[in-house]
Structure formats: structure tokens, C-alpha cells
Amino acid sequence: MAQPDFPELGEPAAYQSELRSELARAKRIVVKIGSSSLTKDDFTTSTEKIDRIVDAICARMQVSDVILVSSGAVAAGIRPLGLKRRPQDLATKQAAAAVGQVHLAYEWGVSFARYGRSIGQVLLTASDTGQRDRARNAQRTIDRLRQLGIVPIVNENDTVATSEMHFGDNDRLSALVANLVGADALFLLSDVDGLYDKNPSEPGAKFIEEVRTGKDLKGVVAGDGGRVGTGGMATKVAAARIATRGGIPVLLTAADNIGRALADASVGTVFHTRPERHLSAWKFWALYCADTGGAVRLDEGAVEAVTRGGNSLLAVGVTEVIGEFNAGEIIDILGPKGENIGRGEVGFDSKILRSVIGRHTEELPEELRRPVVHADYLSNYASRI
């Protein structure tokens, strides 16, 4: 089948922006498709929907590398298992995923074959991205698939993921994959044409064309997922915030708009990056991906020092050590009320740290006069968009 051309589309003045032009020209992109965009009302996969998505992706692949993040495994397994609705218990979800993943991969494979392209399936769990060596292995696999001309299709490995080691939704997974592969842009596609300040079905709902900072999200009420998916608008906004912290701009729109989204980015809501707040690759991994060995709780002064002052975390500001961990592990950093402040690589074993918390550096023995977490190895949530 011949490669489709990009559609000839007008570009309304409201959608003309430098960022949209950058999204349209991005050389390596991640495209995330939600469950509702792949299935019918009877929980079977929709060949028509998948073909339309593949048409647009293959058109974009004339100018860009494309990594696809596909939801839908659990949804696609509902009908074959004879279920009436999305399962709630973990075992049945995993069973549905085991069945549905086969159906979904087959549909993707048949559709891409129309363009002479083969697919490769990459199934990940949170623990795969949480450990540096496994994350690098996943990155190498995806890169090699691209080099061989194969379309990488990434999904969460729902058959083995547990509630404790779970991405929670594929929106977050797509943001992490985009960072992992060094993507230039992330396209989040679902069943809503963009971000509104409230449910778009409600009277007076206002469309938000661009998000530059967190101020643009003030007053926005984002809902949860639908009947076949786990992610709603709230998870998409959260994923966009994660991606932009890694320096990756985001376009959020409906899968029905995929042609225009991938052709000229003239639809949906775009999320800008803020170069002064980009995280290094290591800090991004530590903050959003890494497994953690425990946590420390801080007083208000220490929270201010590490989030706004860019300082190292010192023992004097720690009020509690939670869990058992070794020096060099990634730990969570909590505020006085248990709120997540950030993460970092801890410089003490938990046992030793408990003996020095609350003490000034000059009060410690010479061999213990070091930060609990050095500023270079501390990443905080305070500088979100």
C-alpha cells in the first residue's frame, strides 16, 4: 500500500505558534493511544479505528521516527473472556491483559502490514524503568527496533505488574518512554479534543489552547478515566507535566484528530517546556522512575532550603527516617505533613542516619560531615510547569 500524504490543512490563526511548528517538525516522537480509541462499545478491537491511526502514523513516519505507546490490552480481553465490564480485581485484569494483548498486537500487525511495516512489542513494568540497567536495556531494544525499520509498540506488562509496581496508566508510561528514548515531542491521544477547564459536556466549559506554566492550570478540574480505560484528563495533564520537565513538549487531543495532530499540530492543547526548569537525565530518572528504598521527613526550614534554595539536604533538617536503606539508594523526601517533596541519592545508611538527624554538621564526627543528600543528586517536585 502506498504511503499516505499529509492532508492539505488550513491553519487557523488561533493555532499558529512556534511550538506547534516545532511539534510538526519533531524528528523523534512518541504517540500514545488510549483504550477507548482502539475498541468498540462491545469491547472488541476496532479495525477501522486502528487503521485510521496507522494511516496517520505511517504518513508521519516519512519525516519522523515514531514510537507508539498503546493502551487497550485489558479492554481487548474483556469480550473474549465473556466479561460485561472492565474487571476490578488484579487477577482478572491480568487474565484479560494476557488474552487482549494477543488480539491487540495482531490488529496492529495487520494494519501496519498494509504499508509493508512490521511491529515489535515492548512490554514494560514500573520496575523495568525503576532500575537503571533495565531501563537502559529497554532503551537499547527500542532504539534497535527503530534502526531495523520496525515500529516499536510499547505497553505496560499488565500480566505481571502488581498494584505496588504499576505505572497506573499509560499516559505516565508514555511520558517516561519519551524521556527514555530522547523524544522531541509527545502526542497524547484519547477521546477528548483537548484540555478544558471542566468537563467539556458541561455548559460554559472553556477550551485551553496552550499551557505555558502551572498558572494556566489554575481552576482546571480534570476528571478520571472512562469505562474501558484507567486514565482520565487528570492523568494526561500529569503526564504532560512530567514530559515537559524532561524538556519534551506535548500535544493533547483526540485520536479522531490524529491526522491533523501529526501533520501540522493544528489541533488540541499544547504544553510548553521551560528550559530553565528542565531536569538532567539522571534527575528525571531519580524523580519519576527510580525504585526507592525508604524516606526521610524534613522540617519546614529544610523544605525551603532544598526546594527553593537549591541546597543540599543536611542532617539538621531531617526529623524522621522511614524504612531501611543503604547509602547510595534513592529515597523519597517528605515534608512535615508527609507530602512528597522530591527524591535523591542518600549518603548514609538508615541506621547511621537515625543517629545524626537534627544535628548540625559541625557537631558530627569528621567522617560523618557530609550531606544526607547532595544538591547534585537531589531532584524536587517544586519546579513543575
Side-chain angles (χ1 to χ4, degrees):
M1 187 173 183
Q3 297 284 343
D5 293 324
F6 288 134
E8 293 293 333
L9 299 170
E11 190 172 352
Y15 284 107
Q16 293 176 352
S17 74
E18 183 178 348
L19 177 58
R20 291 184 186 274
S21 296
E22 291 175 5
L23 288 162
R25 298 192 307 266
K27 292 301 183 183
R28 182 178 300 176
I29 67 172
V30 171
V31 178
K32 187 270 177 178
I33 308 293
S35 298
S36 61
S37 304
L38 302 172
T39 54
K40 304 176 185 176
D41 291 340
D42 63 359
F43 301 115
T44 58
T45 54
S46 170
T47 299
E48 180 182 356
K49 289 181 178 180
I50 290 175
D51 283 350
R52 185 170 62 248
I53 291 166
V54 169
D55 290 344
I57 288 175
C58 286
R60 182 61 184 252
M61 291 182 74
Q62 297 178 60
V63 294
S64 305
D65 286 338
V66 180
I67 295 94
L68 177 62
V69 175
S70 170
S71 295
V74 175
I78 293 175
R79 179 70 178 273
L81 290 179
L83 303 176
K84 301 297 184 182
R85 60 185 64 85
R86 185 180 178 88
Q88 299 301 310
D89 65 287
L90 182 60
T92 308
K93 285 181 183 177
Q94 291 175 326
V99 173
Q101 194 66 59
V102 177
H103 286 266
L104 190 59
Y106 174 79
E107 292 285 354
W108 281 123
V110 169
S111 191
F112 275 105
R114 296 178 299 134
Y115 294 98
R117 292 188 179 275
S118 297
I119 66 167
Q121 189 174 67
V122 181
L123 299 178
L124 298 175
T125 64
S127 60
D128 293 325
T129 59
Q131 298 179 30
R132 293 284 279 176
D133 57 341
R134 291 166 70 175
R136 283 192 291 266
N137 285 337
Q139 177 187 20
R140 283 194 291 265
T141 297
I142 294 171
D143 283 346
R144 189 59 179 144
L145 286 171
R146 291 189 306 97
Q147 292 166 6
L148 294 170
I150 306 299
V151 182
I153 300 182
V154 183
N155 198 353
E156 180 161 17
N157 192 353
D158 292 299
T159 60
V160 299
T162 66
S163 57
E164 291 78 20
M165 297 299 296
H166 202 267
F167 289 110
D169 57 82
N170 276 355
D171 297 314
R172 178 183 175 87
L173 172 61
S174 67
L176 301 184
V177 168
N179 184 267
L180 186 69
V181 302
D184 301 308
L186 170 62
F187 293 78
L188 293 173
L189 307 178
S190 63
D191 55 1
V192 182
D193 63 348
L195 179 64
Y196 290 78
D197 61 350
K198 56 184 176 180
N199 190 318
S201 64
E202 296 181 17
K206 180 182 177 182
F207 180 76
I208 299 173
E209 180 186 328
E210 299 196 4
V211 176
R212 295 180 180 274
T213 72
K215 294 179 181 178
D216 296 324
L217 296 173
K218 186 176 181 180
V220 172
V221 178
D224 297 325
R227 66 193 193 110
V228 297
T230 58
M233 189 54 65
T235 70
K236 290 165 182 57
V237 172
R241 290 163 72 90
I242 291 172
T244 54
R245 284 218 70 189
I248 301 167
V250 177
L251 187 148
L252 168 64
T253 192
D256 287 346
N257 293 334
I258 189 171
R260 296 183 66 176
L262 297 188
D264 60 10
S266 63
V267 290
T269 301
V270 292
F271 291 76
H272 291 253
T273 66
R274 300 177 68 182
E276 74 277 9
R277 295 190 175 185
H278 290 178
L279 294 172
S280 67
W282 185 92
K283 287 194 173 186
F284 185 97
W285 172 81
L287 193 60
Y288 295 113
C289 305
D291 296 338
T292 56
V296 293
R297 192 188 303 269
L298 313 186
D299 61 28
E300 289 287 0
V303 170
E304 181 75 14
V306 301
T307 59
R308 301 190 183 280
N311 298 312
S312 297
L313 173 59
L314 304 179
V316 66
V318 179
T319 61
E320 183 183 1
V321 176
I322 302 169
E324 304 298 327
F325 48 81
N326 297 315
E329 289 192 60
I330 303 298
I331 61 168
D332 287 303
I333 301 171
L334 311 177
K337 298 179 181 179
E339 65 275 27
N340 274 312
I341 301 302
R343 288 179 171 183
E345 183 179 298
V346 67
F348 292 85
D349 294 344
S350 54
K351 182 178 180 180
I352 296 175
L353 184 54
R354 286 189 176 94
S355 70
V356 302
I357 61 173
R359 298 170 64 183
H360 291 277
T361 302
E362 59 269 20
E363 299 173 353
L364 301 177
E366 187 70 32
E367 67 273 14
L368 298 180
R369 292 183 181 180
R370 60 180 182 272
V372 175
V373 179
H374 193 281
D376 290 345
Y377 299 99
L378 189 155
S379 189
N380 68 77
Y381 295 109
S383 299
R384 295 177 177 176
I385 64 172

